[in-house]
Coordinates of all heavy atoms in Angstrom, one line a residue:
Q1 N 0.9 -1.2 0.0 CA 0.0 0.0 0.0 C 0.9 1.2 0.0 O 1.8 1.3 0.8 CB -0.9 -0.1 1.2 CG -2.0 1.0 1.2 CD -3.1 0.7 2.3 OE1 -3.6 -0.4 2.4 NE2 -3.3 1.6 3.2
N2 N 0.6 2.2 -0.9 CA 1.4 3.4 -0.9 C 0.8 4.4 0.1 O -0.2 4.1 0.8 CB 1.5 4.0 -2.3 CG 0.2 4.6 -2.8 OD1 -0.7 4.7 -2.0 ND2 0.2 5.0 -4.0
N3 N 1.4 5.6 0.1 CA 0.9 6.5 1.2 C -0.4 7.3 0.8 O -0.9 8.1 1.5 CB 2.0 7.5 1.6 CG 2.8 8.1 0.5 OD1 2.4 8.0 -0.6 ND2 3.9 8.7 0.8
D4 N -1.0 6.9 -0.4 CA -2.3 7.5 -0.7 C -3.3 6.3 -0.3 O -4.6 6.5 -0.6 CB -2.4 7.8 -2.2 CG -1.5 8.9 -2.6 OD1 -1.4 9.9 -1.8 OD2 -1.0 8.9 -3.7
G5 N -2.9 5.3 0.2 CA -3.8 4.2 0.5 C -4.2 3.3 -0.7 O -5.1 2.6 -0.5
V6 N -3.4 3.4 -1.7 CA -3.8 2.6 -2.9 C -2.9 1.4 -2.9 O -1.7 1.5 -2.8 CB -3.7 3.4 -4.2 CG1 -3.9 2.7 -5.4 CG2 -4.6 4.6 -4.0
E7 N -3.5 0.3 -3.1 CA -2.7 -1.0 -3.3 C -1.9 -1.1 -4.6 O -2.4 -0.9 -5.6 CB -3.6 -2.2 -3.2 CG -3.0 -3.5 -2.7 CD -2.6 -3.4 -1.3 OE1 -3.4 -3.1 -0.4 OE2 -1.4 -3.8 -1.0
L8 N -0.6 -1.3 -4.6 CA 0.1 -1.4 -5.8 C 0.9 -2.7 -5.8 O 1.6 -3.1 -4.8 CB 1.1 -0.3 -5.7 CG 0.6 1.2 -5.7 CD1 1.7 2.2 -5.6 CD2 -0.1 1.5 -7.1
A9 N 0.9 -3.3 -7.0 CA 1.6 -4.6 -7.2 C 3.1 -4.5 -7.2 O 3.8 -5.1 -6.3 CB 1.1 -5.3 -8.4
K10 N 3.6 -3.6 -8.1 CA 5.1 -3.6 -8.3 C 5.7 -2.2 -7.8 O 6.8 -2.2 -7.3 CB 5.4 -3.8 -9.8 CG 5.2 -5.3 -10.3 CD 6.6 -5.9 -10.4 CE 6.5 -7.4 -10.6 NZ 5.9 -7.7 -11.9
N11 N 4.9 -1.2 -8.0 CA 5.4 0.2 -7.7 C 5.9 0.3 -6.2 O 5.2 -0.2 -5.3 CB 4.4 1.2 -8.0 CG 4.1 1.4 -9.3 OD1 4.9 0.9 -10.2 ND2 3.0 2.1 -9.7
P12 N 7.1 0.8 -6.1 CA 7.5 1.0 -4.6 C 6.7 2.0 -3.8 O 6.1 2.8 -4.4 CB 9.0 1.4 -4.7 CG 9.0 2.1 -6.1 CD 8.0 1.4 -6.9
T13 N 6.6 1.8 -2.6 CA 5.9 2.8 -1.7 C 6.6 4.2 -1.9 O 7.8 4.3 -1.8 CB 6.0 2.4 -0.2 OG1 5.4 1.1 -0.1 CG2 5.4 3.4 0.7
R14 N 5.8 5.2 -2.1 CA 6.3 6.5 -2.2 C 6.7 7.0 -0.8 O 5.8 7.2 0.1 CB 5.3 7.5 -2.9 CG 5.8 8.9 -2.9 CD 5.1 9.7 -4.1 NE 3.7 9.4 -4.2 CZ 2.8 10.1 -3.4 NH1 3.2 11.0 -2.5 NH2 1.5 9.9 -3.6
V15 N 8.0 7.3 -0.6 CA 8.5 7.8 0.7 C 9.0 9.2 0.6 O 9.1 9.9 1.7 CB 9.5 6.9 1.3 CG1 8.9 5.6 1.7 CG2 10.7 6.7 0.4
K16 N 9.3 9.7 -0.6 CA 9.8 11.0 -0.7 C 8.8 12.0 -1.3 O 7.9 11.6 -2.1 CB 11.0 11.0 -1.8 CG 12.2 10.3 -1.3 CD 13.3 10.1 -2.4 CE 13.0 9.3 -3.5 NZ 14.0 9.0 -4.4
P17 N 9.0 13.3 -1.0 CA 8.0 14.3 -1.6 C 8.4 14.4 -3.1 O 9.4 14.0 -3.4 CB 8.4 15.5 -0.8 CG 9.7 15.3 -0.3 CD 9.9 13.9 0.0
P18 N 7.5 15.0 -3.9 CA 7.8 15.0 -5.3 C 9.0 15.9 -5.5 O 9.2 16.9 -4.8 CB 6.5 15.7 -5.9 CG 5.8 16.3 -4.8 CD 6.2 15.5 -3.5
P19 N 9.8 15.7 -6.6 CA 11.0 16.4 -6.8 C 10.5 17.8 -7.1 O 9.6 18.1 -7.8 CB 11.7 15.8 -8.0 CG 10.7 15.0 -8.6 CD 9.7 14.5 -7.5
M20 N 11.3 18.9 -6.5 CA 11.0 20.3 -6.8 C 11.9 20.9 -7.9 O 12.9 20.3 -8.2 CB 11.1 21.0 -5.5 CG 10.3 20.6 -4.4 SD 8.6 20.8 -4.7 CE 8.4 22.5 -4.2
H21 N 11.4 21.8 -8.5 CA 12.1 22.5 -9.7 C 12.2 24.0 -9.5 O 11.2 24.5 -9.2 CB 11.4 22.1 -11.0 CG 11.4 20.7 -11.3 ND1 12.2 20.1 -12.3 CD2 10.8 19.7 -10.8 CE1 12.0 18.9 -12.4 NE2 11.2 18.5 -11.5
K22 N 13.4 24.4 -9.7 CA 13.6 25.9 -9.6 C 13.0 26.6 -11.0 O 13.3 25.9 -12.0 CB 15.0 26.2 -9.5 CG 15.8 25.9 -8.3 CD 17.2 26.3 -8.3 CE 17.9 25.6 -7.0 NZ 19.3 25.6 -7.2
V23 N 12.4 27.7 -10.9 CA 12.2 28.5 -12.1 C 13.1 29.7 -12.1 O 13.2 30.3 -10.9 CB 10.7 28.9 -12.1 CG1 10.5 29.8 -13.3 CG2 9.7 27.8 -12.2
L24 N 13.8 29.9 -13.1 CA 14.8 31.0 -13.2 C 14.5 32.0 -14.3 O 14.0 31.5 -15.3 CB 16.2 30.4 -13.4 CG 16.8 29.4 -12.3 CD1 16.6 28.0 -13.0 CD2 18.1 29.7 -11.9
L25 N 14.9 33.2 -14.0 CA 14.9 34.2 -15.2 C 16.4 34.4 -15.6 O 17.4 34.3 -14.7 CB 14.4 35.5 -14.7 CG 12.8 35.6 -14.6 CD1 12.4 37.0 -14.0 CD2 12.2 35.3 -15.9
L26 N 16.6 34.6 -16.8 CA 17.9 34.8 -17.4 C 18.0 36.3 -17.8 O 17.0 36.9 -18.3 CB 18.1 33.9 -18.6 CG 18.0 32.4 -18.4 CD1 18.3 31.6 -19.7 CD2 18.8 31.9 -17.2
N27 N 19.2 36.8 -17.6 CA 19.4 38.2 -18.0 C 19.5 38.4 -19.6 O 19.8 37.4 -20.3 CB 20.7 38.8 -17.4 CG 20.9 40.2 -17.6 OD1 19.8 41.0 -17.6 ND2 22.0 40.7 -17.9
D28 N 19.1 39.5 -20.1 CA 19.4 39.9 -21.5 C 19.6 41.5 -21.4 O 19.4 42.1 -20.4 CB 18.2 39.5 -22.4 CG 16.9 40.2 -22.0 OD1 16.8 41.4 -22.3 OD2 16.0 39.6 -21.4
D29 N 19.9 42.0 -22.6 CA 20.3 43.5 -22.7 C 19.1 44.3 -23.0 O 19.2 45.5 -23.0 CB 21.4 43.7 -23.7 CG 22.7 43.1 -23.2 OD1 22.9 43.0 -22.1 OD2 23.6 42.9 -24.1
F30 N 17.9 43.7 -23.3 CA 16.8 44.4 -23.8 C 15.5 44.6 -23.0 O 14.8 45.6 -23.2 CB 16.4 43.9 -25.3 CG 17.7 43.8 -26.2 CD1 18.3 42.6 -26.4 CD2 18.1 45.0 -26.8 CE1 19.4 42.6 -27.2 CE2 19.3 45.0 -27.6 CZ 19.9 43.8 -27.8
T31 N 15.2 43.6 -22.3 CA 14.0 43.5 -21.6 C 14.0 44.6 -20.4 O 15.0 44.8 -19.7 CB 13.7 42.3 -20.8 OG1 13.7 41.2 -21.8 CG2 12.4 42.2 -20.2
P32 N 13.0 45.6 -20.4 CA 13.1 46.6 -19.4 C 13.0 46.1 -18.0 O 12.4 45.1 -17.7 CB 11.8 47.4 -19.7 CG 11.5 47.2 -21.1 CD 11.9 45.7 -21.2
M33 N 13.8 46.7 -17.1 CA 13.8 46.2 -15.7 C 12.3 46.3 -15.2 O 12.0 45.4 -14.3 CB 14.7 47.2 -14.8 CG 16.2 47.0 -15.2 SD 17.2 48.0 -14.1 CE 18.8 47.6 -14.5
E34 N 11.6 47.2 -15.4 CA 10.3 47.4 -14.9 C 9.4 46.2 -15.4 O 8.6 45.6 -14.5 CB 9.6 48.7 -15.3 CG 8.2 48.9 -14.9 CD 8.0 48.9 -13.4 OE1 9.0 49.2 -12.6 OE2 6.8 48.6 -12.9
F35 N 9.6 45.7 -16.5 CA 8.8 44.6 -17.0 C 9.1 43.3 -16.3 O 8.3 42.5 -15.9 CB 9.1 44.4 -18.5 CG 8.3 43.3 -19.3 CD1 7.1 43.4 -19.6 CD2 8.8 42.1 -19.2 CE1 6.2 42.4 -20.1 CE2 8.1 40.9 -19.8 CZ 6.8 41.2 -20.2
V36 N 10.4 43.1 -15.9 CA 10.9 41.9 -15.2 C 10.3 42.0 -13.7 O 9.8 41.1 -13.2 CB 12.4 41.9 -15.1 CG1 12.8 40.7 -14.3 CG2 13.0 41.8 -16.4
V37 N 10.2 43.3 -13.2 CA 9.6 43.4 -11.8 C 8.1 42.9 -11.9 O 7.6 42.3 -11.0 CB 9.8 44.8 -11.3 CG1 9.0 45.1 -10.0 CG2 11.3 45.1 -11.0
I38 N 7.5 43.4 -13.0 CA 6.0 43.1 -13.1 C 5.8 41.6 -13.2 O 5.0 41.0 -12.6 CB 5.4 43.9 -14.3 CG1 5.3 45.3 -13.9 CG2 4.1 43.3 -14.7 CD1 5.0 46.3 -15.1
V39 N 6.6 40.9 -14.0 CA 6.6 39.5 -14.1 C 6.7 38.8 -12.9 O 6.0 37.9 -12.5 CB 7.7 39.0 -15.2 CG1 7.9 37.5 -15.0 CG2 7.3 39.4 -16.6
L40 N 7.8 39.2 -12.0 CA 7.9 38.6 -10.8 C 6.8 38.8 -9.8 O 6.5 37.9 -9.0 CB 9.3 39.1 -10.2 CG 10.6 38.6 -10.9 CD1 11.8 39.5 -10.6 CD2 10.8 37.2 -10.5
Q41 N 6.1 40.0 -9.9 CA 5.0 40.2 -9.0 C 3.8 39.4 -9.5 O 3.1 38.7 -8.7 CB 4.7 41.7 -9.0 CG 5.7 42.5 -8.3 CD 5.3 44.0 -8.3 OE1 4.8 44.5 -7.4 NE2 5.6 44.6 -9.3
Q42 N 3.6 39.3 -10.7 CA 2.3 38.8 -11.4 C 2.4 37.3 -11.4 O 1.3 36.7 -11.1 CB 2.1 39.3 -12.8 CG 0.8 39.0 -13.5 CD 0.5 40.0 -14.6 OE1 0.7 41.2 -14.4 NE2 0.2 39.4 -15.7
F43 N 3.5 36.7 -11.7 CA 3.5 35.2 -11.9 C 4.1 34.5 -10.7 O 3.9 33.4 -10.6 CB 4.3 34.8 -13.1 CG 3.6 35.3 -14.4 CD1 4.0 36.5 -15.1 CD2 2.5 34.7 -14.9 CE1 3.3 37.0 -16.2 CE2 1.8 35.1 -16.0 CZ 2.2 36.3 -16.6
F44 N 4.9 35.2 -9.9 CA 5.5 34.6 -8.7 C 5.2 35.1 -7.4 O 5.7 34.7 -6.3 CB 7.1 34.6 -8.9 CG 7.4 33.9 -10.2 CD1 7.7 34.6 -11.4 CD2 7.6 32.5 -10.3 CE1 8.1 34.0 -12.5 CE2 8.0 31.9 -11.5 CZ 8.2 32.7 -12.7
G45 N 4.2 36.0 -7.4 CA 3.6 36.5 -6.1 C 4.6 37.2 -5.2 O 4.5 37.3 -3.9
L46 N 5.7 37.7 -5.8 CA 6.6 38.5 -5.0 C 6.1 40.0 -4.8 O 5.5 40.5 -5.7 CB 8.0 38.7 -5.7 CG 8.7 37.3 -6.0 CD1 10.1 37.6 -6.3 CD2 8.7 36.4 -4.8
D47 N 6.3 40.5 -3.6 CA 6.0 41.9 -3.4 C 7.0 42.8 -4.1 O 8.0 42.2 -4.7 CB 5.9 42.4 -1.9 CG 7.2 42.1 -1.1 OD1 8.3 42.3 -1.7 OD2 7.2 41.9 0.1
R48 N 6.8 44.1 -4.3 CA 7.6 44.9 -5.2 C 9.0 45.0 -4.7 O 9.9 44.9 -5.6 CB 7.0 46.3 -5.2 CG 7.4 47.0 -6.5 CD 6.9 48.4 -6.7 NE 7.7 49.0 -7.8 CZ 7.5 48.7 -9.1 NH1 6.6 47.9 -9.5 NH2 8.3 49.2 -10.0
E49 N 9.3 44.9 -3.5 CA 10.6 45.0 -2.9 C 11.4 43.7 -3.2 O 12.6 43.8 -3.7 CB 10.6 45.2 -1.4 CG 11.8 45.6 -0.7 CD 11.6 45.9 0.7 OE1 10.6 46.6 1.1 OE2 12.4 45.4 1.6
R50 N 10.8 42.6 -3.0 CA 11.4 41.3 -3.3 C 11.7 41.1 -4.9 O 12.7 40.7 -5.3 CB 10.6 40.1 -2.8 CG 10.7 39.9 -1.3 CD 9.6 38.8 -0.9 NE 9.2 39.0 0.5 CZ 9.9 38.7 1.6 NH1 11.1 38.2 1.6 NH2 9.3 39.0 2.8
A51 N 10.6 41.6 -5.6 CA 10.8 41.5 -7.0 C 11.9 42.4 -7.6 O 12.7 41.9 -8.4 CB 9.4 41.9 -7.7
N52 N 12.1 43.5 -7.0 CA 13.2 44.4 -7.4 C 14.5 43.7 -7.1 O 15.4 43.8 -7.9 CB 13.1 45.7 -6.7 CG 13.3 46.8 -7.6 OD1 14.2 46.8 -8.5 ND2 12.6 47.9 -7.4
R53 N 14.6 43.1 -5.9 CA 15.8 42.5 -5.5 C 16.2 41.3 -6.4 O 17.4 41.2 -6.7 CB 15.7 41.9 -4.0 CG 16.9 42.2 -3.2 CD 16.6 41.9 -1.7 NE 15.9 42.8 -1.0 CZ 15.0 42.7 0.0 NH1 14.6 41.4 0.3 NH2 14.5 43.6 0.6
V54 N 15.2 40.5 -6.8 CA 15.4 39.3 -7.7 C 15.9 39.9 -9.1 O 16.8 39.3 -9.7 CB 14.3 38.4 -7.8 CG1 14.5 37.3 -8.9 CG2 14.0 37.7 -6.4
M55 N 15.1 40.9 -9.5 CA 15.5 41.4 -10.9 C 16.9 41.9 -11.0 O 17.7 41.7 -11.9 CB 14.5 42.6 -11.2 CG 14.7 43.3 -12.5 SD 16.0 44.4 -12.6 CE 15.4 45.7 -11.5
L56 N 17.3 42.6 -9.9 CA 18.7 43.2 -9.8 C 19.7 42.1 -9.7 O 20.8 42.2 -10.3 CB 18.9 44.2 -8.7 CG 18.2 45.5 -8.9 CD1 18.3 46.4 -7.6 CD2 18.9 46.3 -10.0
K57 N 19.4 41.0 -9.0 CA 20.3 39.8 -9.0 C 20.5 39.2 -10.4 O 21.6 39.0 -10.8 CB 19.8 38.7 -8.0 CG 20.7 37.6 -7.9 CD 20.0 36.4 -7.1 CE 20.8 35.2 -7.1 NZ 22.1 35.2 -6.5
V58 N 19.3 39.1 -11.1 CA 19.4 38.5 -12.5 C 20.3 39.5 -13.3 O 21.2 39.1 -14.1 CB 18.0 38.4 -13.1 CG1 18.2 37.9 -14.6 CG2 17.3 37.4 -12.3
H59 N 20.0 40.8 -13.2 CA 20.7 41.8 -14.0 C 22.2 41.7 -13.7 O 23.0 41.9 -14.7 CB 20.1 43.2 -13.7 CG 20.8 44.3 -14.4 ND1 20.6 44.6 -15.7 CD2 21.6 45.3 -13.9 CE1 21.4 45.6 -16.1 NE2 22.0 46.1 -14.9
T60 N 22.7 41.6 -12.5 CA 24.1 41.6 -12.3 C 24.8 40.3 -12.3 O 26.0 40.3 -12.6 CB 24.3 42.2 -10.8 OG1 23.6 41.4 -9.9 CG2 23.9 43.7 -10.8
E61 N 24.1 39.2 -12.0 CA 24.7 37.8 -12.0 C 24.4 36.9 -13.2 O 24.8 35.8 -13.2 CB 24.3 37.1 -10.6 CG 24.8 38.0 -9.4 CD 24.5 37.3 -8.1 OE1 24.2 36.1 -8.0 OE2 24.5 38.0 -7.0
G62 N 23.4 37.4 -13.9 CA 23.0 36.6 -15.2 C 21.8 35.7 -15.0 O 21.2 35.4 -16.0
K63 N 21.5 35.3 -13.8 CA 20.3 34.5 -13.6 C 19.9 34.6 -12.1 O 20.6 35.0 -11.3 CB 20.5 33.0 -14.0 CG 21.6 32.2 -13.3 CD 21.6 30.8 -13.8 CE 22.7 30.0 -13.1 NZ 22.7 28.6 -13.4
G64 N 18.6 34.2 -11.9 CA 18.1 34.3 -10.5 C 16.9 33.4 -10.4 O 16.1 33.3 -11.3
V65 N 16.7 32.9 -9.1 CA 15.6 32.0 -8.9 C 14.3 32.9 -8.5 O 14.4 33.7 -7.7 CB 15.9 31.1 -7.7 CG1 14.7 30.2 -7.3 CG2 17.1 30.2 -8.0
C66 N 13.2 32.5 -9.3 CA 11.9 33.2 -9.0 C 11.1 32.5 -8.0 O 10.3 33.0 -7.3 CB 11.1 33.2 -10.3 SG 11.9 33.8 -11.7
G67 N 11.3 31.1 -8.0 CA 10.5 30.3 -7.1 C 10.8 28.8 -7.3 O 11.6 28.5 -8.3
V68 N 10.3 27.9 -6.4 CA 10.6 26.5 -6.5 C 9.3 25.8 -6.3 O 8.5 26.1 -5.4 CB 11.6 26.1 -5.3 CG1 11.9 24.6 -5.5 CG2 12.9 26.9 -5.3
Y69 N 9.0 25.0 -7.3 CA 7.7 24.2 -7.4 C 7.7 22.9 -7.8 O 8.9 22.5 -8.4 CB 6.8 25.1 -8.5 CG 6.8 26.5 -8.4 CD1 7.7 27.4 -8.9 CD2 5.8 27.2 -7.4 CE1 7.6 28.7 -8.8 CE2 5.8 28.5 -7.2 CZ 6.7 29.3 -7.9 OH 6.7 30.6 -7.7
P70 N 6.6 22.0 -7.6 CA 6.6 20.8 -8.3 C 6.7 20.9 -9.8 O 6.4 22.0 -10.4 CB 5.2 20.3 -7.9 CG 4.9 21.0 -6.7 CD 5.5 22.4 -6.9
K71 N 7.2 19.9 -10.6 CA 7.5 20.0 -12.0 C 6.4 20.6 -12.8 O 6.7 21.5 -13.7 CB 7.8 18.6 -12.4 CG 8.3 18.5 -13.9 CD 8.7 17.1 -14.3 CE 9.5 17.1 -15.6 NZ 10.0 15.7 -15.9
D72 N 5.1 20.2 -12.6 CA 4.0 20.6 -13.5 C 3.7 22.1 -13.3 O 3.5 22.8 -14.2 CB 2.7 19.8 -13.3 CG 2.3 19.7 -11.9 OD1 3.1 20.0 -11.0 OD2 1.0 19.4 -11.7
V73 N 3.8 22.5 -12.0 CA 3.6 23.9 -11.7 C 4.7 24.8 -12.3 O 4.4 25.8 -12.9 CB 3.6 24.2 -10.2 CG1 3.4 25.6 -9.8 CG2 2.3 23.3 -9.6
A74 N 5.9 24.3 -12.1 CA 7.1 25.0 -12.6 C 7.0 25.2 -14.2 O 7.3 26.2 -14.7 CB 8.4 24.3 -12.3
A75 N 6.6 24.1 -14.8 CA 6.5 24.1 -16.3 C 5.5 25.1 -16.8 O 5.6 25.9 -17.7 CB 6.2 22.7 -16.9
T76 N 4.3 25.2 -16.0 CA 3.3 26.1 -16.3 C 3.8 27.5 -16.1 O 3.5 28.5 -17.0 CB 2.0 25.9 -15.4 OG1 1.6 24.6 -15.6 CG2 0.9 26.9 -15.6
K77 N 4.5 27.8 -15.1 CA 5.1 29.2 -14.9 C 6.0 29.6 -16.1 O 5.9 30.7 -16.5 CB 5.9 29.2 -13.6 CG 5.1 28.9 -12.3 CD 4.5 30.1 -11.6 CE 3.8 29.6 -10.4 NZ 2.7 30.6 -10.0
V78 N 6.8 28.7 -16.4 CA 7.8 29.0 -17.5 C 7.0 29.4 -18.8 O 7.3 30.4 -19.4 CB 8.7 27.8 -17.9 CG1 9.5 28.0 -19.2 CG2 9.7 27.6 -16.7
A79 N 5.9 28.6 -19.1 CA 5.2 28.8 -20.3 C 4.5 30.2 -20.2 O 4.4 30.9 -21.2 CB 4.1 27.6 -20.6
Q80 N 3.8 30.5 -19.1 CA 3.1 31.7 -18.9 C 4.1 32.9 -19.1 O 3.7 33.9 -19.8 CB 2.4 31.7 -17.5 CG 1.3 30.8 -17.4 CD 0.8 30.8 -15.9 OE1 1.5 31.0 -15.0 NE2 -0.5 30.5 -15.7
V81 N 5.3 32.8 -18.5 CA 6.2 33.9 -18.5 C 6.7 34.1 -20.0 O 6.8 35.2 -20.5 CB 7.4 33.7 -17.6 CG1 8.5 34.8 -17.8 CG2 6.9 33.8 -16.2
M82 N 7.0 33.0 -20.7 CA 7.5 33.0 -22.1 C 6.3 33.6 -22.9 O 6.7 34.5 -23.9 CB 7.9 31.7 -22.6 CG 9.2 31.1 -21.8 SD 10.6 32.1 -22.0 CE 11.1 31.7 -23.6
D83 N 5.1 33.2 -22.8 CA 4.0 33.8 -23.6 C 3.8 35.2 -23.4 O 3.7 36.0 -24.3 CB 2.7 33.1 -23.2 CG 2.5 31.7 -23.7 OD1 3.4 31.3 -24.5 OD2 1.5 31.0 -23.4
F84 N 3.8 35.6 -22.0 CA 3.7 37.0 -21.7 C 4.8 37.9 -22.3 O 4.6 39.0 -22.9 CB 3.6 37.2 -20.2 CG 3.3 38.5 -19.6 CD1 2.0 39.0 -19.8 CD2 4.1 39.2 -18.9 CE1 1.7 40.3 -19.2 CE2 3.9 40.4 -18.4 CZ 2.6 41.0 -18.5
S85 N 6.0 37.4 -22.2 CA 7.2 38.2 -22.7 C 7.0 38.4 -24.2 O 7.4 39.4 -24.7 CB 8.5 37.5 -22.3 OG 8.6 37.4 -21.0
R86 N 6.7 37.3 -24.9 CA 6.6 37.3 -26.3 C 5.4 38.3 -26.8 O 5.6 39.0 -27.7 CB 6.3 35.9 -26.9 CG 7.3 35.4 -28.0 CD 8.8 35.9 -27.5 NE 9.5 34.9 -26.7 CZ 10.1 35.3 -25.6 NH1 10.2 36.5 -25.2 NH2 10.8 34.3 -24.9
Q87 N 4.3 38.2 -26.0 CA 3.2 39.2 -26.3 C 3.6 40.5 -26.2 O 3.1 41.4 -27.0 CB 2.0 38.9 -25.3 CG 1.2 37.7 -25.6 CD 0.3 37.4 -24.3 OE1 0.0 38.2 -23.6 NE2 -0.1 36.1 -24.3
H88 N 4.6 40.8 -25.3 CA 5.1 42.2 -25.2 C 6.3 42.5 -26.0 O 7.0 43.5 -25.8 CB 5.3 42.6 -23.7 CG 3.9 42.6 -23.0 ND1 3.3 43.8 -22.8 CD2 3.2 41.7 -22.4 CE1 2.1 43.6 -22.1 NE2 2.0 42.3 -21.8
Q89 N 6.6 41.5 -26.8 CA 7.8 41.6 -27.7 C 9.2 41.8 -27.0 O 10.1 42.6 -27.5 CB 7.6 42.7 -28.8 CG 6.4 42.2 -29.7 CD 6.0 43.2 -30.7 OE1 5.9 44.4 -30.3 NE2 5.9 42.8 -31.9
H90 N 9.3 41.2 -25.8 CA 10.6 41.2 -25.1 C 11.3 39.9 -25.1 O 10.5 38.8 -25.2 CB 10.3 41.6 -23.6 CG 9.8 42.9 -23.4 ND1 10.4 44.0 -24.0 CD2 8.7 43.4 -22.7 CE1 9.7 45.1 -23.6 NE2 8.7 44.8 -22.9
P91 N 12.6 39.9 -25.2 CA 13.3 38.6 -25.3 C 13.6 37.8 -24.0 O 14.4 36.8 -24.0 CB 14.6 39.0 -25.9 CG 14.9 40.3 -25.4 CD 13.5 41.0 -25.2
L92 N 12.9 38.2 -22.9 CA 13.2 37.6 -21.7 C 13.0 36.1 -21.7 O 12.0 35.6 -22.3 CB 12.0 38.2 -20.7 CG 12.2 37.6 -19.2 CD1 13.4 38.1 -18.5 CD2 10.9 38.2 -18.4
Q93 N 14.0 35.4 -21.1 CA 13.9 33.9 -21.1 C 13.7 33.4 -19.7 O 14.4 33.9 -18.7 CB 15.3 33.4 -21.6 CG 15.6 33.7 -23.0 CD 14.8 32.9 -23.9 OE1 14.4 31.7 -23.7 NE2 14.4 33.6 -25.1
C94 N 12.9 32.4 -19.5 CA 12.5 31.8 -18.3 C 12.7 30.3 -18.4 O 12.2 29.8 -19.4 CB 11.0 32.1 -17.9 SG 10.5 31.5 -16.3
V95 N 13.5 29.7 -17.5 CA 13.8 28.3 -17.6 C 13.5 27.6 -16.3 O 13.4 28.3 -15.2 CB 15.2 28.1 -18.1 CG1 15.5 28.7 -19.4 CG2 16.2 28.7 -17.0
M96 N 13.5 26.2 -16.3 CA 13.4 25.5 -15.0 C 14.6 24.5 -15.0 O 15.1 24.1 -16.0 CB 12.0 24.8 -15.0 CG 11.8 23.8 -16.1 SD 10.0 23.3 -16.0 CE 10.1 22.0 -14.8
E97 N 14.9 24.2 -13.7 CA 15.9 23.1 -13.5 C 15.5 22.3 -12.3 O 15.0 22.9 -11.3 CB 17.3 23.6 -13.5 CG 17.6 24.6 -12.3 CD 19.0 25.2 -12.4 OE1 19.5 25.5 -13.5 OE2 19.6 25.4 -11.3
E98 N 15.8 21.1 -12.3 CA 15.5 20.2 -11.1 C 16.5 20.5 -10.1 O 17.7 20.8 -10.4 CB 15.6 18.7 -11.5 CG 15.0 17.8 -10.4 CD 14.9 16.3 -10.9 OE1 14.8 16.0 -12.1 OE2 14.7 15.5 -9.9
N99 N 16.0 20.5 -8.8 CA 17.0 20.8 -7.7 C 18.1 19.7 -7.6 O 17.8 18.6 -7.7 CB 16.2 20.9 -6.4 CG 15.6 22.3 -6.3 OD1 16.0 23.2 -6.9 ND2 14.7 22.4 -5.2
Ligands
TYC1 N1 19.5 43.7 -18.3 C1 18.2 44.3 -18.4 C2 18.4 45.8 -18.7 O1 19.4 46.3 -18.4 C3 17.2 44.1 -17.2 C4 16.8 42.6 -17.1 C5 16.8 42.1 -15.8 C6 16.5 41.8 -18.1 C7 16.5 40.8 -15.6 C8 16.1 40.5 -17.9 O2 15.8 38.6 -16.4 C9 16.2 40.0 -16.7 N2 17.2 46.5 -19.1

């Protein structure tokens, strides 16, 4: 029996939480700082101060973590940010990586 109470013939009992994935923004020379701050607030729930801090980290260090989520949630965030950036004709890149 796994930890959802479901009987399983071969699958091992799930003992670990689902693997988490970082969502990162990458720096570029063209996307306005203000647009990145809006993305961080709108899609990652950061307040303006935290959003500004993450944006400046990406700007100076090349990349920065927006949040850490289960795989499907992380993939949705990446797709939403990429769509939003393209709609506004900015080259902003959002990627995910497993922890
Ligand atoms: N480097 C950009 C600029 O100077 C700002 C920027 C920050 C772009 C973070 C992308 O993920 C990014 N306008």
